[in-house]
Amino acid sequence: MKKTGEGYQGFGSFMTPSVDDMLDNKVPMYLPAEFLPAVPQDAVKKCSEFGTDSCRQLWPVCASTKTTFVNHGAFGVTPFPSLTAFHQVRQSVEAEPLAFFDRTLFYTMVNAIKRLSTVVNCKPKELSLVPNCTFGLNAVLNSLLDKDSTVLLLDITYGSIKKIALGSNIVWAHIPLTCANAPDKIVDIVRDVLQANEGKVKLAVFDHITSNTALLMPVQELTELCHSFGVPVLVDGAHALFATPLNIEKINADFYVGNCHKWFSCPRGCGFLWVKSKWHNQIKNPIKSHGSGSGFSSDFMWWGNTDYTPALMVPYMVDWWDAVGWQSARDYCNKLLHNATTLLCKSWNVSRVVTNPSSLCCCMALVALPKHTQGKKMTSVQSKLMQDNLFHVHHIQVPVKCIDDNLYVRISCMVYNNLEDYKTLANAVLNLLPELPDVFGTHADNGQNSSKL
Amino acid sequence: AAVSEEDGGGEESKDVDWSPLFCLDREWTFINHGAFGATLRPAMKAVTSWSYRMEEQPLRFLDRELLPLLVRVTRRLAKFVGADVTDLVLMPNATTALNTVFHSLRVEPEDRALRLDITYGSVKKMMAEHCVHVDEVRVAAKLPVKDAQSILDAVEKQLESRQYKYAVFDYIASNTALLLPVADLVALCHKHNVLVVIDGAHALGAVPLDLNALGADYFVANAHKWLAAPKGCAFMWVHPKHQATVRPLVISHGFGRGFLSNYIWQGLRDHAPFLALLTVLRFWERVGLDRLRRDCRDLLLRAARMLAKRWDTELLASDEEI
């Protein structure tokens, strides 16, 4: 029984110490035993048998043998053991909500931040967990830009960034798909835009791995370039965590945002925002609450009363990939990507978009659809039609993109995928060839140049 | 008398043990539902169910099923609170909703805002950042607080002394647990050309709501408190005349296509708490909220009087009505 008290140490009326003290290791961390279930070792073992049925059984998208899922990049997937743990943690919170929010939450959030900071190589006090990447992007852009600011964007950047930046002036760097094989060209293009707009650009935003074109951008070089022009950099690493060996300090940008639910496969509802210390006074949480005014970590730590379980699952997934092996899992995915793109290109008689996907792509890549009508321009009408047919008729989940008037599938390769998945895709597209003249055009050879598998 | 989950009630609710219907660990004496709520067990099951459905077919679910489902949830919730579906949007929590409201309320440097001394702590912070001149009406300076009329009188006096752009009132204040006379406050403010923001964080479930009748300018509420919904579910109601100026703090794909569209997608998150609201509303409708509210209030007054007598103290308010 305590007979004297020291009053509230942290913000609001939470009973835990200040989160800065926790992050600085000035107070002992209290993490309730068994609050977060342990990663089951037998599941880890099965997962490590990449692409086999043993592994596939762990992933909900493989639960039905009727569907073929090659779109992990869209919304991520979390494995069954994680889903079980996720709901267990929720139950624990709801069994004692006061004990949890008042006395446990911030210990678990700080622990999650510390674990993640080790994985992505950054200082814990520069890292915060946010509901998702979109939130982080909005926080940075809201804080820095106004209607008179100019922001530099790539035209291949993610769609919603264009919307967030609408209130400001945008200068575009046009990146044609032909740059896919020459990252130096991307740097050159951006240099030209910076020179043409010298002194005007307040912030540059680059996708670490683009969504529509599935390309790994040379973010370290682009950051160096922008800094030489005095332009700060925000890197949108929505896809990066797991897909690439992320090293935030090495990239040396000013801001970095990411998602935990995509390749990292954490349950949805958590992303991260990294802000270099020198910007901490300027970057504010657009959602103000108890933690506001108490520094960067406090400001972003409390999202208001909501479900924090996705964030609490971050250490679980770090343990998961630590046990499975980050690099061996990545190697499998990228090797499969190489083999899958080879197979598809051969089957559809198309050339590679990226000649060496293993170095310029991470876990996902574009493959051109076969086309027999030269010069016909494709639009999103055809890409949606194609995607709908693949889904409804062939039960395949793969996005079809329209880029520079041509159609591509963007295949994802994750630890549960194997080459059979892409054979199914190859054949499905060939089956649709004669059925969709709007997409493929009419052709005399009836697909003789393409090989069914 | 324990209740099974199938059993929506039927007995006098005060003779019945409701605890199996909540996830709370009953080893604790839990008399702080108002803090962070407590989730209904059937709602938790619904969350888990939606979660598994989503995970097995994330593309099918998110691309093709989610948005119509969210509209359905919005429609049900709107009906429950006496609002038009086009005036309501789902939010993660009242905090997010309030921040959105303040962000949208344009204030000039000379504008003034009004609140009470009993306004929620983080709202005081939000207002301090939002508006240079924030005045406070002190209703709890001298305890006990007399009654609703004394609060109205104090506010009216302040409104007559200077012009305010907007006023913020907690429907049910947090620290003092007072039920404010919001309908009268709205009328009073509108009489003086003052916009009204109602922070109904505690209101949803605790009191019957009719937002169209109330006619405030902005209204926010949490579903995880007295509605016992899973955390991560709340709403923001905006009077149609202000909708064009309310800008989301988290912009994403839906931006620029209308009020609902602006808010329905805030980046990928776990939507299961929103979807579980269908289960929650269905549950309370079967149980019968009016009778339940009466019984809770009976218990509240009995408990409060008993404690005051045992401790030889008094309630914060002299009038049990507030």
Side-chain angles (χ1 to χ4, degrees), chain B residues 272-294:
Chain B
F274 293 126
L275 302 174
L277 201 56
L278 293 169
T279 306
V280 171
L281 292 174
R282 200 181 312 135
F283 176 86
W284 291 121
E285 276 160 11
R286 279 188 69 189
V287 155
L289 267 178
D290 287 338
R291 183 198 60 200
L292 204 58
R293 284 185 189 122
R294 272 200 309 273

PDB file of all heavy atoms in Angstrom, chain B residues 272-294:
ATOM      1  N   ALA B 272     -13.739  -3.110 -38.370  1.00  0.00           N
ATOM      2  CA  ALA B 272     -14.638  -3.991 -37.634  1.00  0.00           C
ATOM      3  C   ALA B 272     -15.418  -3.288 -36.518  1.00  0.00           C
ATOM      4  O   ALA B 272     -16.601  -3.571 -36.340  1.00  0.00           O
ATOM      5  CB  ALA B 272     -13.858  -5.197 -37.087  1.00  0.00           C
ATOM      6  N   PRO B 273     -14.794  -2.359 -35.763  1.00  0.00           N
ATOM      7  CA  PRO B 273     -15.597  -1.671 -34.733  1.00  0.00           C
ATOM      8  C   PRO B 273     -16.820  -0.942 -35.315  1.00  0.00           C
ATOM      9  O   PRO B 273     -17.878  -0.923 -34.697  1.00  0.00           O
ATOM     10  CB  PRO B 273     -14.608  -0.678 -34.118  1.00  0.00           C
ATOM     11  CG  PRO B 273     -13.272  -1.307 -34.316  1.00  0.00           C
ATOM     12  CD  PRO B 273     -13.374  -2.018 -35.625  1.00  0.00           C
ATOM     13  N   PHE B 274     -16.674  -0.358 -36.497  1.00  0.00           N
ATOM     14  CA  PHE B 274     -17.828   0.319 -37.109  1.00  0.00           C
ATOM     15  C   PHE B 274     -18.901  -0.690 -37.477  1.00  0.00           C
ATOM     16  O   PHE B 274     -20.085  -0.471 -37.260  1.00  0.00           O
ATOM     17  CB  PHE B 274     -17.410   1.067 -38.375  1.00  0.00           C
ATOM     18  CG  PHE B 274     -16.490   2.225 -38.125  1.00  0.00           C
ATOM     19  CD1 PHE B 274     -15.272   2.313 -38.785  1.00  0.00           C
ATOM     20  CD2 PHE B 274     -16.844   3.247 -37.256  1.00  0.00           C
ATOM     21  CE1 PHE B 274     -14.415   3.394 -38.566  1.00  0.00           C
ATOM     22  CE2 PHE B 274     -15.993   4.326 -37.032  1.00  0.00           C
ATOM     23  CZ  PHE B 274     -14.774   4.396 -37.691  1.00  0.00           C
ATOM     24  N   LEU B 275     -18.458  -1.811 -38.054  1.00  0.00           N
ATOM     25  CA  LEU B 275     -19.419  -2.805 -38.521  1.00  0.00           C
ATOM     26  C   LEU B 275     -20.141  -3.462 -37.355  1.00  0.00           C
ATOM     27  O   LEU B 275     -21.314  -3.813 -37.454  1.00  0.00           O
ATOM     28  CB  LEU B 275     -18.696  -3.850 -39.382  1.00  0.00           C
ATOM     29  CG  LEU B 275     -17.987  -3.238 -40.593  1.00  0.00           C
ATOM     30  CD1 LEU B 275     -17.168  -4.278 -41.328  1.00  0.00           C
ATOM     31  CD2 LEU B 275     -18.983  -2.593 -41.549  1.00  0.00           C
ATOM     32  N   ALA B 276     -19.441  -3.592 -36.240  1.00  0.00           N
ATOM     33  CA  ALA B 276     -20.060  -4.206 -35.059  1.00  0.00           C
ATOM     34  C   ALA B 276     -21.181  -3.335 -34.496  1.00  0.00           C
ATOM     35  O   ALA B 276     -21.993  -3.796 -33.696  1.00  0.00           O
ATOM     36  CB  ALA B 276     -19.011  -4.475 -33.987  1.00  0.00           C
ATOM     37  N   LEU B 277     -21.242  -2.093 -34.915  1.00  0.00           N
ATOM     38  CA  LEU B 277     -22.296  -1.192 -34.438  1.00  0.00           C
ATOM     39  C   LEU B 277     -23.675  -1.735 -34.809  1.00  0.00           C
ATOM     40  O   LEU B 277     -24.651  -1.523 -34.083  1.00  0.00           O
ATOM     41  CB  LEU B 277     -22.098   0.198 -35.039  1.00  0.00           C
ATOM     42  CG  LEU B 277     -22.765   1.361 -34.309  1.00  0.00           C
ATOM     43  CD1 LEU B 277     -22.342   1.420 -32.859  1.00  0.00           C
ATOM     44  CD2 LEU B 277     -22.434   2.670 -35.001  1.00  0.00           C
ATOM     45  N   LEU B 278     -23.755  -2.471 -35.906  1.00  0.00           N
ATOM     46  CA  LEU B 278     -25.033  -3.067 -36.306  1.00  0.00           C
ATOM     47  C   LEU B 278     -25.505  -4.032 -35.204  1.00  0.00           C
ATOM     48  O   LEU B 278     -26.678  -4.036 -34.832  1.00  0.00           O
ATOM     49  CB  LEU B 278     -24.886  -3.818 -37.633  1.00  0.00           C
ATOM     50  CG  LEU B 278     -24.598  -2.953 -38.857  1.00  0.00           C
ATOM     51  CD1 LEU B 278     -24.203  -3.809 -40.048  1.00  0.00           C
ATOM     52  CD2 LEU B 278     -25.799  -2.089 -39.210  1.00  0.00           C
ATOM     53  N   THR B 279     -24.579  -4.813 -34.695  1.00  0.00           N
ATOM     54  CA  THR B 279     -24.889  -5.756 -33.618  1.00  0.00           C
ATOM     55  C   THR B 279     -25.277  -4.993 -32.345  1.00  0.00           C
ATOM     56  O   THR B 279     -26.227  -5.360 -31.657  1.00  0.00           O
ATOM     57  CB  THR B 279     -23.671  -6.663 -33.317  1.00  0.00           C
ATOM     58  OG1 THR B 279     -23.243  -7.275 -34.525  1.00  0.00           O
ATOM     59  CG2 THR B 279     -24.001  -7.713 -32.280  1.00  0.00           C
ATOM     60  N   VAL B 280     -24.529  -3.962 -32.061  1.00  0.00           N
ATOM     61  CA  VAL B 280     -24.758  -3.185 -30.841  1.00  0.00           C
ATOM     62  C   VAL B 280     -26.134  -2.541 -30.851  1.00  0.00           C
ATOM     63  O   VAL B 280     -26.883  -2.634 -29.884  1.00  0.00           O
ATOM     64  CB  VAL B 280     -23.669  -2.099 -30.681  1.00  0.00           C
ATOM     65  CG1 VAL B 280     -24.001  -1.150 -29.547  1.00  0.00           C
ATOM     66  CG2 VAL B 280     -22.319  -2.742 -30.446  1.00  0.00           C
ATOM     67  N   LEU B 281     -26.500  -1.910 -31.965  1.00  0.00           N
ATOM     68  CA  LEU B 281     -27.794  -1.218 -32.055  1.00  0.00           C
ATOM     69  C   LEU B 281     -28.938  -2.215 -31.979  1.00  0.00           C
ATOM     70  O   LEU B 281     -29.941  -1.978 -31.305  1.00  0.00           O
ATOM     71  CB  LEU B 281     -27.867  -0.380 -33.332  1.00  0.00           C
ATOM     72  CG  LEU B 281     -26.932   0.822 -33.355  1.00  0.00           C
ATOM     73  CD1 LEU B 281     -26.961   1.510 -34.718  1.00  0.00           C
ATOM     74  CD2 LEU B 281     -27.287   1.817 -32.261  1.00  0.00           C
ATOM     75  N   ARG B 282     -28.750  -3.329 -32.663  1.00  0.00           N
ATOM     76  CA  ARG B 282     -29.784  -4.370 -32.645  1.00  0.00           C
ATOM     77  C   ARG B 282     -29.984  -4.868 -31.213  1.00  0.00           C
ATOM     78  O   ARG B 282     -31.090  -5.076 -30.742  1.00  0.00           O
ATOM     79  CB  ARG B 282     -29.396  -5.527 -33.555  1.00  0.00           C
ATOM     80  CG  ARG B 282     -30.571  -6.402 -33.969  1.00  0.00           C
ATOM     81  CD  ARG B 282     -30.142  -7.562 -34.852  1.00  0.00           C
ATOM     82  NE  ARG B 282     -29.269  -7.148 -35.926  1.00  0.00           N
ATOM     83  CZ  ARG B 282     -28.149  -7.785 -36.283  1.00  0.00           C
ATOM     84  NH1 ARG B 282     -27.764  -8.867 -35.648  1.00  0.00           N
ATOM     85  NH2 ARG B 282     -27.407  -7.334 -37.276  1.00  0.00           N
ATOM     86  N   PHE B 283     -28.893  -5.033 -30.499  1.00  0.00           N
ATOM     87  CA  PHE B 283     -28.939  -5.515 -29.121  1.00  0.00           C
ATOM     88  C   PHE B 283     -29.745  -4.565 -28.249  1.00  0.00           C
ATOM     89  O   PHE B 283     -30.675  -4.970 -27.542  1.00  0.00           O
ATOM     90  CB  PHE B 283     -27.513  -5.669 -28.580  1.00  0.00           C
ATOM     91  CG  PHE B 283     -27.455  -6.071 -27.144  1.00  0.00           C
ATOM     92  CD1 PHE B 283     -27.504  -7.413 -26.783  1.00  0.00           C
ATOM     93  CD2 PHE B 283     -27.393  -5.118 -26.138  1.00  0.00           C
ATOM     94  CE1 PHE B 283     -27.467  -7.797 -25.449  1.00  0.00           C
ATOM     95  CE2 PHE B 283     -27.357  -5.488 -24.804  1.00  0.00           C
ATOM     96  CZ  PHE B 283     -27.398  -6.838 -24.454  1.00  0.00           C
ATOM     97  N   TRP B 284     -29.390  -3.277 -28.286  1.00  0.00           N
ATOM     98  CA  TRP B 284     -30.070  -2.324 -27.408  1.00  0.00           C
ATOM     99  C   TRP B 284     -31.530  -2.163 -27.774  1.00  0.00           C
ATOM    100  O   TRP B 284     -32.381  -1.930 -26.902  1.00  0.00           O
ATOM    101  CB  TRP B 284     -29.360  -0.971 -27.422  1.00  0.00           C
ATOM    102  CG  TRP B 284     -28.017  -0.998 -26.772  1.00  0.00           C
ATOM    103  CD1 TRP B 284     -26.822  -0.683 -27.349  1.00  0.00           C
ATOM    104  CD2 TRP B 284     -27.711  -1.374 -25.417  1.00  0.00           C
ATOM    105  NE1 TRP B 284     -25.796  -0.835 -26.443  1.00  0.00           N
ATOM    106  CE2 TRP B 284     -26.312  -1.258 -25.258  1.00  0.00           C
ATOM    107  CE3 TRP B 284     -28.477  -1.792 -24.326  1.00  0.00           C
ATOM    108  CZ2 TRP B 284     -25.671  -1.547 -24.050  1.00  0.00           C
ATOM    109  CZ3 TRP B 284     -27.843  -2.088 -23.135  1.00  0.00           C
ATOM    110  CH2 TRP B 284     -26.440  -1.964 -23.002  1.00  0.00           C
ATOM    111  N   GLU B 285     -31.832  -2.291 -29.052  1.00  0.00           N
ATOM    112  CA  GLU B 285     -33.231  -2.177 -29.446  1.00  0.00           C
ATOM    113  C   GLU B 285     -34.038  -3.345 -28.920  1.00  0.00           C
ATOM    114  O   GLU B 285     -35.177  -3.178 -28.500  1.00  0.00           O
ATOM    115  CB  GLU B 285     -33.341  -2.035 -30.964  1.00  0.00           C
ATOM    116  CG  GLU B 285     -33.151  -0.582 -31.374  1.00  0.00           C
ATOM    117  CD  GLU B 285     -32.763  -0.399 -32.833  1.00  0.00           C
ATOM    118  OE1 GLU B 285     -32.832  -1.384 -33.595  1.00  0.00           O
ATOM    119  OE2 GLU B 285     -32.415   0.738 -33.202  1.00  0.00           O
ATOM    120  N   ARG B 286     -33.447  -4.540 -28.900  1.00  0.00           N
ATOM    121  CA  ARG B 286     -34.145  -5.704 -28.350  1.00  0.00           C
ATOM    122  C   ARG B 286     -34.314  -5.565 -26.848  1.00  0.00           C
ATOM    123  O   ARG B 286     -35.331  -5.922 -26.283  1.00  0.00           O
ATOM    124  CB  ARG B 286     -33.370  -6.971 -28.658  1.00  0.00           C
ATOM    125  CG  ARG B 286     -33.606  -7.486 -30.059  1.00  0.00           C
ATOM    126  CD  ARG B 286     -32.970  -8.831 -30.255  1.00  0.00           C
ATOM    127  NE  ARG B 286     -33.673  -9.846 -29.479  1.00  0.00           N
ATOM    128  CZ  ARG B 286     -33.237 -11.098 -29.310  1.00  0.00           C
ATOM    129  NH1 ARG B 286     -32.085 -11.456 -29.829  1.00  0.00           N
ATOM    130  NH2 ARG B 286     -33.915 -11.974 -28.609  1.00  0.00           N
ATOM    131  N   VAL B 287     -33.288  -5.093 -26.178  1.00  0.00           N
ATOM    132  CA  VAL B 287     -33.304  -4.964 -24.729  1.00  0.00           C
ATOM    133  C   VAL B 287     -34.296  -3.897 -24.288  1.00  0.00           C
ATOM    134  O   VAL B 287     -34.968  -4.039 -23.275  1.00  0.00           O
ATOM    135  CB  VAL B 287     -31.879  -4.625 -24.247  1.00  0.00           C
ATOM    136  CG1 VAL B 287     -31.878  -3.901 -22.929  1.00  0.00           C
ATOM    137  CG2 VAL B 287     -31.045  -5.875 -24.182  1.00  0.00           C
ATOM    138  N   GLY B 288     -34.353  -2.808 -25.022  1.00  0.00           N
ATOM    139  CA  GLY B 288     -35.241  -1.712 -24.626  1.00  0.00           C
ATOM    140  C   GLY B 288     -34.482  -0.709 -23.779  1.00  0.00           C
ATOM    141  O   GLY B 288     -34.344  -0.855 -22.565  1.00  0.00           O
ATOM    142  N   LEU B 289     -33.951   0.313 -24.425  1.00  0.00           N
ATOM    143  CA  LEU B 289     -33.088   1.264 -23.732  1.00  0.00           C
ATOM    144  C   LEU B 289     -33.810   2.148 -22.724  1.00  0.00           C
ATOM    145  O   LEU B 289     -33.242   2.508 -21.702  1.00  0.00           O
ATOM    146  CB  LEU B 289     -32.354   2.147 -24.743  1.00  0.00           C
ATOM    147  CG  LEU B 289     -30.972   1.647 -25.149  1.00  0.00           C
ATOM    148  CD1 LEU B 289     -30.360   2.563 -26.191  1.00  0.00           C
ATOM    149  CD2 LEU B 289     -30.043   1.573 -23.944  1.00  0.00           C
ATOM    150  N   ASP B 290     -35.052   2.502 -23.000  1.00  0.00           N
ATOM    151  CA  ASP B 290     -35.753   3.431 -22.099  1.00  0.00           C
ATOM    152  C   ASP B 290     -35.831   2.868 -20.687  1.00  0.00           C
ATOM    153  O   ASP B 290     -35.521   3.536 -19.710  1.00  0.00           O
ATOM    154  CB  ASP B 290     -37.168   3.721 -22.616  1.00  0.00           C
ATOM    155  CG  ASP B 290     -37.126   4.614 -23.832  1.00  0.00           C
ATOM    156  OD1 ASP B 290     -36.108   5.324 -24.014  1.00  0.00           O
ATOM    157  OD2 ASP B 290     -38.094   4.610 -24.622  1.00  0.00           O
ATOM    158  N   ARG B 291     -36.286   1.596 -20.623  1.00  0.00           N
ATOM    159  CA  ARG B 291     -36.436   0.973 -19.302  1.00  0.00           C
ATOM    160  C   ARG B 291     -35.068   0.852 -18.632  1.00  0.00           C
ATOM    161  O   ARG B 291     -34.905   1.100 -17.441  1.00  0.00           O
ATOM    162  CB  ARG B 291     -37.065  -0.402 -19.490  1.00  0.00           C
ATOM    163  CG  ARG B 291     -37.337  -1.122 -18.180  1.00  0.00           C
ATOM    164  CD  ARG B 291     -37.537  -2.593 -18.420  1.00  0.00           C
ATOM    165  NE  ARG B 291     -36.350  -3.164 -19.023  1.00  0.00           N
ATOM    166  CZ  ARG B 291     -36.346  -4.307 -19.690  1.00  0.00           C
ATOM    167  NH1 ARG B 291     -37.463  -4.983 -19.874  1.00  0.00           N
ATOM    168  NH2 ARG B 291     -35.232  -4.777 -20.207  1.00  0.00           N
ATOM    169  N   LEU B 292     -34.079   0.478 -19.430  1.00  0.00           N
ATOM    170  CA  LEU B 292     -32.733   0.303 -18.893  1.00  0.00           C
ATOM    171  C   LEU B 292     -32.178   1.605 -18.345  1.00  0.00           C
ATOM    172  O   LEU B 292     -31.562   1.647 -17.271  1.00  0.00           O
ATOM    173  CB  LEU B 292     -31.834  -0.228 -19.988  1.00  0.00           C
ATOM    174  CG  LEU B 292     -30.597  -0.982 -19.552  1.00  0.00           C
ATOM    175  CD1 LEU B 292     -30.989  -2.162 -18.710  1.00  0.00           C
ATOM    176  CD2 LEU B 292     -29.834  -1.448 -20.788  1.00  0.00           C
ATOM    177  N   ARG B 293     -32.406   2.680 -19.064  1.00  0.00           N
ATOM    178  CA  ARG B 293     -31.918   3.994 -18.611  1.00  0.00           C
ATOM    179  C   ARG B 293     -32.577   4.370 -17.290  1.00  0.00           C
ATOM    180  O   ARG B 293     -31.922   4.882 -16.383  1.00  0.00           O
ATOM    181  CB  ARG B 293     -32.224   5.065 -19.645  1.00  0.00           C
ATOM    182  CG  ARG B 293     -31.310   5.035 -20.856  1.00  0.00           C
ATOM    183  CD  ARG B 293     -31.606   6.217 -21.763  1.00  0.00           C
ATOM    184  NE  ARG B 293     -30.907   6.101 -23.018  1.00  0.00           N
ATOM    185  CZ  ARG B 293     -31.500   6.080 -24.206  1.00  0.00           C
ATOM    186  NH1 ARG B 293     -32.814   6.160 -24.311  1.00  0.00           N
ATOM    187  NH2 ARG B 293     -30.775   5.978 -25.319  1.00  0.00           N
ATOM    188  N   ARG B 294     -33.879   4.095 -17.209  1.00  0.00           N
ATOM    189  CA  ARG B 294     -34.594   4.413 -15.961  1.00  0.00           C
ATOM    190  C   ARG B 294     -33.994   3.626 -14.803  1.00  0.00           C
ATOM    191  O   ARG B 294     -33.748   4.178 -13.732  1.00  0.00           O
ATOM    192  CB  ARG B 294     -36.084   4.044 -16.090  1.00  0.00           C
ATOM    193  CG  ARG B 294     -36.950   5.140 -16.659  1.00  0.00           C
ATOM    194  CD  ARG B 294     -38.411   4.907 -16.311  1.00  0.00           C
ATOM    195  NE  ARG B 294     -38.881   3.567 -16.645  1.00  0.00           N
ATOM    196  CZ  ARG B 294     -39.373   3.204 -17.835  1.00  0.00           C
ATOM    197  NH1 ARG B 294     -39.458   4.078 -18.813  1.00  0.00           N
ATOM    198  NH2 ARG B 294     -39.772   1.969 -18.043  1.00  0.00           N
TER     199      ARG B 294
END
